[in-house]
Amino acid sequence: MTSTQAEIDRSQLGTLSVLAWIGDPSEAHDIPYLLAYTLGDGPGGREAGEAAARGLLEEIGLPIGDVVMDGTRNPAGFPVQILLEGNQIALTLPGMNAQCTAPDEWVAAADESGQAYFLFATRAWPEAVPGRPVDAKTLQAFAGDEEVLTGSAHCVLSVRRLQK
């Protein structure tokens, strides 16, 4: 007998947002990072959005915690994809996608390495509304928070470009 996992209600995620940044190049830390998070503005509120995020990650096979998945070995078969065109990043997950604009230094670092470090936070971040800048201190407070880090899925992903 086999059992199947109940599908999550993705509408509970609310707004899925994506933010791109790099570390401090002066400290030889120019890794391009990409963070996905929910605003917690779905119909069931913040808690339902966070539960939906955890369910989504489980559904697509991304562990939450300190395991870093390597999506560069078989990028076409990995459940998370990054496509970069100019400064526009398209993040694709099964059944959903999100976009953001990458700063020039992110694009340069991604072009150099061909990859990015991706985090999908299960904690909602309603303060980081799309279209409004997030200062470095606010980003560090969220993305560097131990509970956020241990409650996130972590992957290294290939940064793909459109073929010309």
Side-chain angles (χ1 to χ4, degrees), residues 106-119:
W106 194 98
V107 173
D111 282 344
E112 185 174 320
S113 68
Q115 45 189 240
Y117 193 97
F118 173 68
L119 296 95

PDB file of all heavy atoms in Angstrom, residues 106-119:
ATOM      1  N   TRP A 106      25.275  41.614  -8.769  1.00  0.00           N
ATOM      2  CA  TRP A 106      24.750  40.252  -8.697  1.00  0.00           C
ATOM      3  C   TRP A 106      24.914  39.575 -10.045  1.00  0.00           C
ATOM      4  O   TRP A 106      25.355  38.434 -10.142  1.00  0.00           O
ATOM      5  CB  TRP A 106      23.278  40.271  -8.292  1.00  0.00           C
ATOM      6  CG  TRP A 106      22.727  38.941  -7.879  1.00  0.00           C
ATOM      7  CD1 TRP A 106      22.576  38.484  -6.614  1.00  0.00           C
ATOM      8  CD2 TRP A 106      22.228  37.891  -8.738  1.00  0.00           C
ATOM      9  NE1 TRP A 106      22.034  37.212  -6.617  1.00  0.00           N
ATOM     10  CE2 TRP A 106      21.813  36.829  -7.917  1.00  0.00           C
ATOM     11  CE3 TRP A 106      22.106  37.738 -10.106  1.00  0.00           C
ATOM     12  CZ2 TRP A 106      21.281  35.645  -8.414  1.00  0.00           C
ATOM     13  CZ3 TRP A 106      21.584  36.552 -10.623  1.00  0.00           C
ATOM     14  CH2 TRP A 106      21.172  35.527  -9.775  1.00  0.00           C
ATOM     15  N   VAL A 107      24.552  40.283 -11.104  1.00  0.00           N
ATOM     16  CA  VAL A 107      24.664  39.743 -12.459  1.00  0.00           C
ATOM     17  C   VAL A 107      26.123  39.404 -12.761  1.00  0.00           C
ATOM     18  O   VAL A 107      26.424  38.322 -13.282  1.00  0.00           O
ATOM     19  CB  VAL A 107      24.092  40.735 -13.495  1.00  0.00           C
ATOM     20  CG1 VAL A 107      24.351  40.253 -14.916  1.00  0.00           C
ATOM     21  CG2 VAL A 107      22.601  40.950 -13.255  1.00  0.00           C
ATOM     22  N   ALA A 108      27.041  40.312 -12.420  1.00  0.00           N
ATOM     23  CA  ALA A 108      28.466  40.065 -12.679  1.00  0.00           C
ATOM     24  C   ALA A 108      28.953  38.835 -11.914  1.00  0.00           C
ATOM     25  O   ALA A 108      29.664  37.993 -12.469  1.00  0.00           O
ATOM     26  CB  ALA A 108      29.289  41.301 -12.297  1.00  0.00           C
ATOM     27  N   ALA A 109      28.565  38.713 -10.648  1.00  0.00           N
ATOM     28  CA  ALA A 109      28.993  37.560  -9.839  1.00  0.00           C
ATOM     29  C   ALA A 109      28.379  36.264 -10.371  1.00  0.00           C
ATOM     30  O   ALA A 109      29.045  35.220 -10.413  1.00  0.00           O
ATOM     31  CB  ALA A 109      28.619  37.777  -8.372  1.00  0.00           C
ATOM     32  N   ALA A 110      27.122  36.315 -10.793  1.00  0.00           N
ATOM     33  CA  ALA A 110      26.469  35.126 -11.348  1.00  0.00           C
ATOM     34  C   ALA A 110      27.090  34.744 -12.689  1.00  0.00           C
ATOM     35  O   ALA A 110      27.271  33.553 -12.977  1.00  0.00           O
ATOM     36  CB  ALA A 110      24.969  35.378 -11.510  1.00  0.00           C
ATOM     37  N   ASP A 111      27.440  35.729 -13.502  1.00  0.00           N
ATOM     38  CA  ASP A 111      28.093  35.444 -14.782  1.00  0.00           C
ATOM     39  C   ASP A 111      29.451  34.789 -14.550  1.00  0.00           C
ATOM     40  O   ASP A 111      29.830  33.865 -15.263  1.00  0.00           O
ATOM     41  CB  ASP A 111      28.259  36.714 -15.617  1.00  0.00           C
ATOM     42  CG  ASP A 111      26.979  37.141 -16.315  1.00  0.00           C
ATOM     43  OD1 ASP A 111      26.040  36.317 -16.414  1.00  0.00           O
ATOM     44  OD2 ASP A 111      26.923  38.302 -16.749  1.00  0.00           O
ATOM     45  N   GLU A 112      30.166  35.267 -13.544  1.00  0.00           N
ATOM     46  CA  GLU A 112      31.502  34.724 -13.264  1.00  0.00           C
ATOM     47  C   GLU A 112      31.445  33.288 -12.741  1.00  0.00           C
ATOM     48  O   GLU A 112      32.189  32.429 -13.185  1.00  0.00           O
ATOM     49  CB  GLU A 112      32.236  35.608 -12.251  1.00  0.00           C
ATOM     50  CG  GLU A 112      33.665  35.172 -12.022  1.00  0.00           C
ATOM     51  CD  GLU A 112      34.428  36.129 -11.129  1.00  0.00           C
ATOM     52  OE1 GLU A 112      34.251  37.350 -11.271  1.00  0.00           O
ATOM     53  OE2 GLU A 112      35.189  35.630 -10.282  1.00  0.00           O
ATOM     54  N   SER A 113      30.530  33.020 -11.813  1.00  0.00           N
ATOM     55  CA  SER A 113      30.484  31.686 -11.197  1.00  0.00           C
ATOM     56  C   SER A 113      29.516  30.733 -11.894  1.00  0.00           C
ATOM     57  O   SER A 113      29.656  29.513 -11.779  1.00  0.00           O
ATOM     58  CB  SER A 113      30.083  31.795  -9.723  1.00  0.00           C
ATOM     59  OG  SER A 113      28.735  32.214  -9.597  1.00  0.00           O
ATOM     60  N   GLY A 114      28.503  31.289 -12.567  1.00  0.00           N
ATOM     61  CA  GLY A 114      27.499  30.452 -13.214  1.00  0.00           C
ATOM     62  C   GLY A 114      26.487  29.867 -12.242  1.00  0.00           C
ATOM     63  O   GLY A 114      25.668  29.038 -12.606  1.00  0.00           O
ATOM     64  N   GLN A 115      26.526  30.321 -10.998  1.00  0.00           N
ATOM     65  CA  GLN A 115      25.604  29.785 -10.006  1.00  0.00           C
ATOM     66  C   GLN A 115      25.229  30.829  -8.962  1.00  0.00           C
ATOM     67  O   GLN A 115      25.834  31.898  -8.883  1.00  0.00           O
ATOM     68  CB  GLN A 115      26.163  28.539  -9.340  1.00  0.00           C
ATOM     69  CG  GLN A 115      27.595  28.604  -8.911  1.00  0.00           C
ATOM     70  CD  GLN A 115      28.140  27.262  -8.456  1.00  0.00           C
ATOM     71  OE1 GLN A 115      28.557  27.156  -7.320  1.00  0.00           O
ATOM     72  NE2 GLN A 115      28.161  26.258  -9.304  1.00  0.00           N
ATOM     73  N   ALA A 116      24.205  30.497  -8.184  1.00  0.00           N
ATOM     74  CA  ALA A 116      23.747  31.369  -7.101  1.00  0.00           C
ATOM     75  C   ALA A 116      23.340  30.499  -5.920  1.00  0.00           C
ATOM     76  O   ALA A 116      22.950  29.338  -6.095  1.00  0.00           O
ATOM     77  CB  ALA A 116      22.563  32.216  -7.554  1.00  0.00           C
ATOM     78  N   TYR A 117      23.424  31.088  -4.742  1.00  0.00           N
ATOM     79  CA  TYR A 117      22.981  30.421  -3.518  1.00  0.00           C
ATOM     80  C   TYR A 117      21.540  30.847  -3.273  1.00  0.00           C
ATOM     81  O   TYR A 117      21.247  32.030  -3.158  1.00  0.00           O
ATOM     82  CB  TYR A 117      23.862  30.831  -2.338  1.00  0.00           C
ATOM     83  CG  TYR A 117      23.659  29.966  -1.126  1.00  0.00           C
ATOM     84  CD1 TYR A 117      24.519  28.908  -0.872  1.00  0.00           C
ATOM     85  CD2 TYR A 117      22.611  30.188  -0.237  1.00  0.00           C
ATOM     86  CE1 TYR A 117      24.339  28.095   0.249  1.00  0.00           C
ATOM     87  CE2 TYR A 117      22.419  29.385   0.866  1.00  0.00           C
ATOM     88  CZ  TYR A 117      23.285  28.345   1.104  1.00  0.00           C
ATOM     89  OH  TYR A 117      23.113  27.536   2.194  1.00  0.00           O
ATOM     90  N   PHE A 118      20.649  29.855  -3.249  1.00  0.00           N
ATOM     91  CA  PHE A 118      19.219  30.126  -3.121  1.00  0.00           C
ATOM     92  C   PHE A 118      18.718  29.700  -1.749  1.00  0.00           C
ATOM     93  O   PHE A 118      19.037  28.617  -1.273  1.00  0.00           O
ATOM     94  CB  PHE A 118      18.462  29.356  -4.210  1.00  0.00           C
ATOM     95  CG  PHE A 118      16.965  29.412  -4.075  1.00  0.00           C
ATOM     96  CD1 PHE A 118      16.275  30.591  -4.270  1.00  0.00           C
ATOM     97  CD2 PHE A 118      16.248  28.272  -3.745  1.00  0.00           C
ATOM     98  CE1 PHE A 118      14.895  30.649  -4.148  1.00  0.00           C
ATOM     99  CE2 PHE A 118      14.860  28.314  -3.626  1.00  0.00           C
ATOM    100  CZ  PHE A 118      14.192  29.501  -3.824  1.00  0.00           C
ATOM    101  N   LEU A 119      17.929  30.564  -1.134  1.00  0.00           N
ATOM    102  CA  LEU A 119      17.250  30.252   0.120  1.00  0.00           C
ATOM    103  C   LEU A 119      15.760  30.468  -0.084  1.00  0.00           C
ATOM    104  O   LEU A 119      15.365  31.466  -0.689  1.00  0.00           O
ATOM    105  CB  LEU A 119      17.687  31.192   1.245  1.00  0.00           C
ATOM    106  CG  LEU A 119      19.120  31.167   1.705  1.00  0.00           C
ATOM    107  CD1 LEU A 119      19.908  32.233   0.979  1.00  0.00           C
ATOM    108  CD2 LEU A 119      19.181  31.409   3.181  1.00  0.00           C
TER     109      LEU A 119
END
